Amino acid sequence: MPKAKVTFSDINLSVNVPVGTRIIEVSEKVGSGIIYGCRECDCGTCIMKVEEGWNNLSEPSVLEDKVLKENMAGRHYRLACQAQVLGDVTLKPA
């Protein structure tokens, strides 16, 4: 199974994960400062900033785009509960 490197700049930690893994699954395990209140894209508390590797995440769904717009998140922000790793990426809490 292909792997990708996810770097959490807030805790200065990089981990290799299987491609297709959701960011929230990794952030929970490593203790990143990305907070969350759900796994169903209902609340938007897990907004994170993508510092590098924007194109190495899955495309945002219509629902994710809606939540990001409602929270006035900029172009390089995603929801950790929705974004899947496709390649190397560097993130931090919003």
mmCIF file of all heavy atoms in Angstrom, residues 1 11 22 31 33 38-40 44 50 54 57-58 63 65-67 69 71 76 79 82 90-91 94:
data_model
loop_
_atom_site.group_PDB
_atom_site.id
_atom_site.type_symbol
_atom_site.label_atom_id
_atom_site.label_comp_id
_atom_site.label_asym_id
_atom_site.label_seq_id
_atom_site.Cartn_x
_atom_site.Cartn_y
_atom_site.Cartn_z
ATOM 1 N N MET A 1 0.852 -1.175 0.000
ATOM 2 C CA MET A 1 0.000 0.000 0.000
ATOM 3 C C MET A 1 0.903 1.244 0.000
ATOM 4 O O MET A 1 1.812 1.356 0.816
ATOM 5 C CB MET A 1 -0.905 -0.019 1.231
ATOM 6 C CG MET A 1 -1.742 1.231 1.371
ATOM 7 S SD MET A 1 -2.939 1.144 2.716
ATOM 8 C CE MET A 1 -4.272 0.352 1.857
ATOM 9 N N ILE A 11 3.494 20.557 16.270
ATOM 10 C CA ILE A 11 4.230 19.722 17.215
ATOM 11 C C ILE A 11 5.548 19.224 16.616
ATOM 12 O O ILE A 11 6.214 18.372 17.204
ATOM 13 C CB ILE A 11 3.369 18.541 17.722
ATOM 14 C CG1 ILE A 11 2.880 17.677 16.561
ATOM 15 C CG2 ILE A 11 2.208 19.048 18.559
ATOM 16 C CD1 ILE A 11 2.173 16.399 16.987
ATOM 17 N N ARG A 22 -7.617 9.633 6.571
ATOM 18 C CA ARG A 22 -8.139 10.958 6.899
ATOM 19 C C ARG A 22 -7.214 11.604 7.926
ATOM 20 O O ARG A 22 -6.730 10.954 8.850
ATOM 21 C CB ARG A 22 -9.556 10.884 7.442
ATOM 22 C CG ARG A 22 -10.563 10.459 6.401
ATOM 23 C CD ARG A 22 -11.995 10.549 6.920
ATOM 24 N NE ARG A 22 -12.896 9.932 5.984
ATOM 25 C CZ ARG A 22 -13.414 10.546 4.913
ATOM 26 N NH1 ARG A 22 -13.096 11.795 4.668
ATOM 27 N NH2 ARG A 22 -14.224 9.923 4.103
ATOM 28 N N GLY A 31 -1.301 13.509 18.708
ATOM 29 C CA GLY A 31 -1.486 14.595 19.662
ATOM 30 C C GLY A 31 -1.340 15.984 19.074
ATOM 31 O O GLY A 31 -0.952 16.921 19.759
ATOM 32 N N GLY A 33 -2.561 19.660 17.691
ATOM 33 C CA GLY A 33 -3.509 20.616 18.257
ATOM 34 C C GLY A 33 -4.770 20.806 17.444
ATOM 35 O O GLY A 33 -5.576 21.675 17.748
ATOM 36 N N CYS A 38 -16.620 16.265 15.847
ATOM 37 C CA CYS A 38 -17.427 15.283 15.134
ATOM 38 C C CYS A 38 -16.581 14.599 14.077
ATOM 39 O O CYS A 38 -15.435 14.942 13.874
ATOM 40 C CB CYS A 38 -18.615 15.963 14.467
ATOM 41 S SG CYS A 38 -18.113 17.031 13.102
ATOM 42 N N ARG A 39 -17.192 13.707 13.374
ATOM 43 C CA ARG A 39 -16.550 13.047 12.236
ATOM 44 C C ARG A 39 -17.453 13.102 11.005
ATOM 45 O O ARG A 39 -17.193 12.438 10.023
ATOM 46 C CB ARG A 39 -16.247 11.590 12.566
ATOM 47 C CG ARG A 39 -15.175 11.436 13.591
ATOM 48 C CD ARG A 39 -14.932 9.952 13.812
ATOM 49 N NE ARG A 39 -13.899 9.769 14.781
ATOM 50 C CZ ARG A 39 -12.602 9.765 14.506
ATOM 51 N NH1 ARG A 39 -12.179 9.939 13.287
ATOM 52 N NH2 ARG A 39 -11.720 9.583 15.459
ATOM 53 N N GLU A 40 -18.491 13.885 11.076
ATOM 54 C CA GLU A 40 -19.470 13.911 10.001
ATOM 55 C C GLU A 40 -19.572 15.257 9.298
ATOM 56 O O GLU A 40 -20.539 15.512 8.601
ATOM 57 C CB GLU A 40 -20.856 13.518 10.544
ATOM 58 C CG GLU A 40 -20.901 12.159 11.187
ATOM 59 C CD GLU A 40 -20.521 11.044 10.237
ATOM 60 O OE1 GLU A 40 -20.881 11.122 9.051
ATOM 61 O OE2 GLU A 40 -19.873 10.091 10.689
ATOM 62 N N GLY A 44 -17.355 21.961 11.873
ATOM 63 C CA GLY A 44 -16.271 22.808 11.371
ATOM 64 C C GLY A 44 -15.195 23.116 12.388
ATOM 65 O O GLY A 44 -14.337 23.948 12.135
ATOM 66 N N VAL A 50 -3.394 24.138 5.534
ATOM 67 C CA VAL A 50 -2.465 23.323 4.766
ATOM 68 C C VAL A 50 -1.307 24.229 4.369
ATOM 69 O O VAL A 50 -1.461 25.134 3.556
ATOM 70 C CB VAL A 50 -3.146 22.726 3.508
ATOM 71 C CG1 VAL A 50 -2.173 21.853 2.739
ATOM 72 C CG2 VAL A 50 -4.395 21.953 3.900
ATOM 73 N N TRP A 54 -0.942 21.214 -0.725
ATOM 74 C CA TRP A 54 -2.390 21.415 -0.931
ATOM 75 C C TRP A 54 -2.967 20.404 -1.919
ATOM 76 O O TRP A 54 -4.036 19.847 -1.713
ATOM 77 C CB TRP A 54 -2.633 22.841 -1.407
ATOM 78 C CG TRP A 54 -4.021 23.097 -1.847
ATOM 79 C CD1 TRP A 54 -4.479 23.146 -3.128
ATOM 80 C CD2 TRP A 54 -5.162 23.319 -1.022
ATOM 81 N NE1 TRP A 54 -5.829 23.392 -3.143
ATOM 82 C CE2 TRP A 54 -6.274 23.502 -1.856
ATOM 83 C CE3 TRP A 54 -5.357 23.384 0.350
ATOM 84 C CZ2 TRP A 54 -7.546 23.743 -1.372
ATOM 85 C CZ3 TRP A 54 -6.633 23.619 0.830
ATOM 86 C CH2 TRP A 54 -7.706 23.796 -0.027
ATOM 87 N N LEU A 57 -4.052 16.384 -1.120
ATOM 88 C CA LEU A 57 -5.226 15.987 -0.342
ATOM 89 C C LEU A 57 -6.390 15.738 -1.291
ATOM 90 O O LEU A 57 -6.429 16.295 -2.395
ATOM 91 C CB LEU A 57 -5.611 17.087 0.655
ATOM 92 C CG LEU A 57 -4.618 17.353 1.781
ATOM 93 C CD1 LEU A 57 -5.043 18.582 2.574
ATOM 94 C CD2 LEU A 57 -4.480 16.150 2.694
ATOM 95 N N SER A 58 -7.325 14.915 -0.863
ATOM 96 C CA SER A 58 -8.520 14.656 -1.670
ATOM 97 C C SER A 58 -9.250 15.969 -1.941
ATOM 98 O O SER A 58 -9.106 16.940 -1.200
ATOM 99 C CB SER A 58 -9.436 13.678 -0.931
ATOM 100 O OG SER A 58 -9.784 14.211 0.341
ATOM 101 N N LEU A 63 -20.239 19.420 0.692
ATOM 102 C CA LEU A 63 -20.537 19.716 2.093
ATOM 103 C C LEU A 63 -19.346 20.374 2.790
ATOM 104 O O LEU A 63 -19.501 21.348 3.526
ATOM 105 C CB LEU A 63 -20.939 18.443 2.829
ATOM 106 C CG LEU A 63 -21.383 18.610 4.273
ATOM 107 C CD1 LEU A 63 -22.526 19.609 4.391
ATOM 108 C CD2 LEU A 63 -21.810 17.264 4.839
ATOM 109 N N ASP A 65 -16.944 22.145 1.341
ATOM 110 C CA ASP A 65 -16.863 23.515 0.797
ATOM 111 C C ASP A 65 -17.855 24.437 1.508
ATOM 112 O O ASP A 65 -17.532 25.572 1.847
ATOM 113 C CB ASP A 65 -17.165 23.526 -0.705
ATOM 114 C CG ASP A 65 -15.942 23.260 -1.551
ATOM 115 O OD1 ASP A 65 -14.811 23.473 -1.071
ATOM 116 O OD2 ASP A 65 -16.133 22.851 -2.711
ATOM 117 N N LYS A 66 -19.058 23.938 1.733
ATOM 118 C CA LYS A 66 -20.093 24.734 2.402
ATOM 119 C C LYS A 66 -19.654 25.116 3.819
ATOM 120 O O LYS A 66 -19.767 26.268 4.226
ATOM 121 C CB LYS A 66 -21.405 23.954 2.432
ATOM 122 C CG LYS A 66 -22.526 24.685 3.122
ATOM 123 C CD LYS A 66 -23.793 23.825 3.154
ATOM 124 C CE LYS A 66 -24.878 24.591 3.872
ATOM 125 N NZ LYS A 66 -25.571 23.809 4.851
ATOM 126 N N VAL A 67 -19.154 24.146 4.575
ATOM 127 C CA VAL A 67 -18.729 24.408 5.952
ATOM 128 C C VAL A 67 -17.554 25.382 5.967
ATOM 129 O O VAL A 67 -17.514 26.306 6.786
ATOM 130 C CB VAL A 67 -18.365 23.089 6.674
ATOM 131 C CG1 VAL A 67 -17.713 23.366 8.024
ATOM 132 C CG2 VAL A 67 -19.601 22.225 6.843
ATOM 133 N N LYS A 69 -16.855 27.692 3.725
ATOM 134 C CA LYS A 69 -17.366 29.024 3.376
ATOM 135 C C LYS A 69 -18.123 29.645 4.548
ATOM 136 O O LYS A 69 -17.987 30.834 4.819
ATOM 137 C CB LYS A 69 -18.256 28.951 2.140
ATOM 138 C CG LYS A 69 -17.472 28.754 0.875
ATOM 139 C CD LYS A 69 -18.361 28.586 -0.341
ATOM 140 C CE LYS A 69 -17.501 28.261 -1.556
ATOM 141 N NZ LYS A 69 -18.291 27.863 -2.694
ATOM 142 N N ASN A 71 -17.560 29.267 7.572
ATOM 143 C CA ASN A 71 -16.578 29.656 8.579
ATOM 144 C C ASN A 71 -15.555 30.646 8.027
ATOM 145 O O ASN A 71 -14.564 30.937 8.698
ATOM 146 C CB ASN A 71 -15.865 28.413 9.123
ATOM 147 C CG ASN A 71 -16.756 27.636 10.051
ATOM 148 O OD1 ASN A 71 -16.899 27.977 11.213
ATOM 149 N ND2 ASN A 71 -17.391 26.590 9.537
ATOM 150 N N HIS A 76 -6.456 27.785 1.556
ATOM 151 C CA HIS A 76 -5.589 26.704 2.012
ATOM 152 C C HIS A 76 -6.038 26.105 3.348
ATOM 153 O O HIS A 76 -5.218 25.641 4.121
ATOM 154 C CB HIS A 76 -4.139 27.176 2.077
ATOM 155 C CG HIS A 76 -3.583 27.424 0.712
ATOM 156 N ND1 HIS A 76 -3.209 26.401 -0.125
ATOM 157 C CD2 HIS A 76 -3.386 28.560 0.028
ATOM 158 C CE1 HIS A 76 -2.790 26.908 -1.265
ATOM 159 N NE2 HIS A 76 -2.889 28.220 -1.197
ATOM 160 N N LEU A 79 -10.992 20.678 6.278
ATOM 161 C CA LEU A 79 -11.520 20.017 7.464
ATOM 162 C C LEU A 79 -10.758 18.705 7.654
ATOM 163 O O LEU A 79 -10.711 17.875 6.749
ATOM 164 C CB LEU A 79 -13.012 19.728 7.322
ATOM 165 C CG LEU A 79 -13.932 20.936 7.181
ATOM 166 C CD1 LEU A 79 -15.371 20.467 7.012
ATOM 167 C CD2 LEU A 79 -13.804 21.866 8.368
ATOM 168 N N GLN A 82 -12.501 15.425 6.926
ATOM 169 C CA GLN A 82 -12.865 15.112 5.548
ATOM 170 C C GLN A 82 -11.664 14.894 4.625
ATOM 171 O O GLN A 82 -11.734 14.099 3.699
ATOM 172 C CB GLN A 82 -13.728 16.237 4.965
ATOM 173 C CG GLN A 82 -15.038 16.426 5.688
ATOM 174 C CD GLN A 82 -15.933 15.215 5.571
ATOM 175 O OE1 GLN A 82 -16.298 14.819 4.478
ATOM 176 N NE2 GLN A 82 -16.268 14.612 6.694
ATOM 177 N N THR A 90 1.975 19.184 4.757
ATOM 178 C CA THR A 90 2.316 19.812 6.031
ATOM 179 C C THR A 90 1.128 20.625 6.500
ATOM 180 O O THR A 90 0.591 21.427 5.731
ATOM 181 C CB THR A 90 3.559 20.727 5.892
ATOM 182 O OG1 THR A 90 4.658 19.934 5.433
ATOM 183 C CG2 THR A 90 3.920 21.379 7.221
ATOM 184 N N LEU A 91 0.725 20.420 7.752
ATOM 185 C CA LEU A 91 -0.498 21.018 8.292
ATOM 186 C C LEU A 91 -0.256 21.662 9.647
ATOM 187 O O LEU A 91 0.716 21.362 10.319
ATOM 188 C CB LEU A 91 -1.538 19.918 8.508
ATOM 189 C CG LEU A 91 -1.722 18.894 7.411
ATOM 190 C CD1 LEU A 91 -2.397 17.670 7.956
ATOM 191 C CD2 LEU A 91 -2.504 19.508 6.291
ATOM 192 N N ALA A 94 -5.869 25.575 12.601
ATOM 193 C CA ALA A 94 -6.254 26.922 12.126
ATOM 194 C C ALA A 94 -6.275 27.892 13.276
ATOM 195 O O ALA A 94 -6.401 27.551 14.408
ATOM 196 C CB ALA A 94 -7.617 26.875 11.469
#
